[in-house]
Amino acid sequence: MASTGPWQWLLICTLLVLGCLFAIDAWRLAVHQSEKGSRIGVLSALGGGLITGLSVGLATLNLQMSFEATTKYATWKADVEAAASIPGFSPGHRGIRGINFSGKSLHDADFTHEDLHGMQFRDADLTGAVFDGADLHGANFVGADLESTSFKDAHLKNALLQSADLTHAAVNGTAPQNYAGVQVNGRTCWPKNVDREILKTVTVKSFWERDDTMLTPQQEQKEDGVRGGEIASRCHLAER
């Protein structure tokens, strides 16, 4: 649908002015003059009709604009959900609740100060993404590539980071309690300079592999040589 044009707003303003003038004139005649009642009635009817028409017109335009905005948002959301790769993604002022970002490539995405409570980023490639100040309570980052991702001042309580790669991620500078209850396993890769106080707050959990077999923390430690909350030797940062 076409956007509301200047001529439409001009017409609305003209109707509003005319309606008000007719209504005022009718009121003036009724109070101060002894004109025939028919003229007063006509002016009142004209004023009332114009104002009523204006109200209907404004309601129609508002509905049209709301419909256009809703259609544009729905189209944008559908494009995001369908895309496999969105480098530099930023939601701007759009709501992203309900969008599943699992498996997507979101290099250098900007989620600064976004409400991402409980959202899905499983197996997503978030290299270089920014989550500074974001609400990530309970967010799912299982298996995600978080290398060079920034989590400054982010709130990650109870987030899932099993098998996530945080190599060179910016996790320091955030209060350790913001990581309370974060779930990790022996395959979670932390940066070498990670604040050890952060590692003390995390929770070691079992992890379901893709073949639906569960590896307990003890099995992972036996297989990988580390337990959750440590820097796994398999992480490529350990080779640098």
Side-chain angles (χ1 to χ4, degrees):
M1 298 178 68
S3 299
T4 304
W7 67 270
Q8 291 175 300
W9 289 113
L10 178 60
L11 178 59
I12 289 172
C13 291
T14 301
L15 290 173
L16 177 61
V17 171
L18 288 175
C20 291
L21 288 176
F22 283 130
I24 291 172
D25 195 25
W27 174 82
R28 182 179 60 81
L29 290 173
V31 175
H32 300 291
Q33 297 183 21
S34 59
E35 297 285 343
K36 293 183 178 179
S38 59
R39 183 180 176 189
I40 297 174
V42 169
L43 290 175
S44 299
L46 284 173
L50 287 172
I51 293 175
T52 301
L54 174 64
S55 301
V56 173
L58 284 174
T60 302
L61 285 176
N62 183 62
L63 181 61
Q64 175 183 334
M65 295 171 69
S66 299
F67 179 77
E68 289 176 352
T70 301
T71 301
K72 288 180 181 179
Y73 172 73
T75 300
W76 173 84
K77 184 177 180 181
D79 289 341
V80 171
E81 291 176 333
S85 177
I86 319 175
F89 172 81
S90 175
H93 298 294
R94 305 179 185 91
I96 55 176
R97 300 298 304 173
I99 296 179
N100 189 341
F101 291 99
S102 296
K104 295 184 183 297
S105 177
L106 298 165
H107 284 213
D108 302 315
D110 185 2
F111 292 100
T112 303
H113 298 299
E114 289 291 331
D115 179 8
L116 306 171
H117 186 104
M119 292 191 65
Q120 299 294 317
F121 295 93
R122 185 182 180 113
D123 296 319
D125 185 350
L126 293 157
T127 303
V130 179
F131 289 94
D132 295 350
D135 180 0
L136 295 166
H137 284 64
N140 186 347
F141 289 102
V142 172
D145 186 349
L146 302 170
E147 182 177 355
S148 301
T149 301
S150 179
F151 290 102
K152 295 178 181 177
D153 296 320
H155 298 270
L156 290 108
K157 289 184 179 180
N158 301 316
L160 309 180
L161 293 176
Q162 288 101 323
S163 298
D165 183 2
L166 290 95
T167 305
H168 304 298
V171 297
N172 294 337
T174 302
Q177 58 265 29
N178 286 353
Y179 287 84
V182 165
Q183 296 184 19
V184 301
N185 62 353
R187 302 182 181 188
T188 300
C189 291
W190 293 100
K192 280 187 176 181
N193 66 341
V194 62
D195 185 349
R196 297 293 167 171
E197 293 302 313
I198 290 177
L199 300 184
K200 293 178 182 179
T201 68
V202 301
T203 302
V204 180
K205 289 286 186 177
S206 300
F207 177 61
W208 285 97
E209 290 292 334
R210 293 187 183 280
D211 60 1
D212 290 332
T213 60
M214 177 178 281
L215 294 180
T216 66
Q218 293 74 23
Q219 290 173 322
E220 286 185 337
Q221 183 173 1
K222 181 178 180 180
E223 185 171 327
D224 295 337
V226 295
R227 66 177 184 81
E230 296 180 355
I231 300 175
S233 57
R234 73 175 185 84
C235 302
H236 62 271
L237 64 83
E239 301 172 0
R240 297 181 179 181

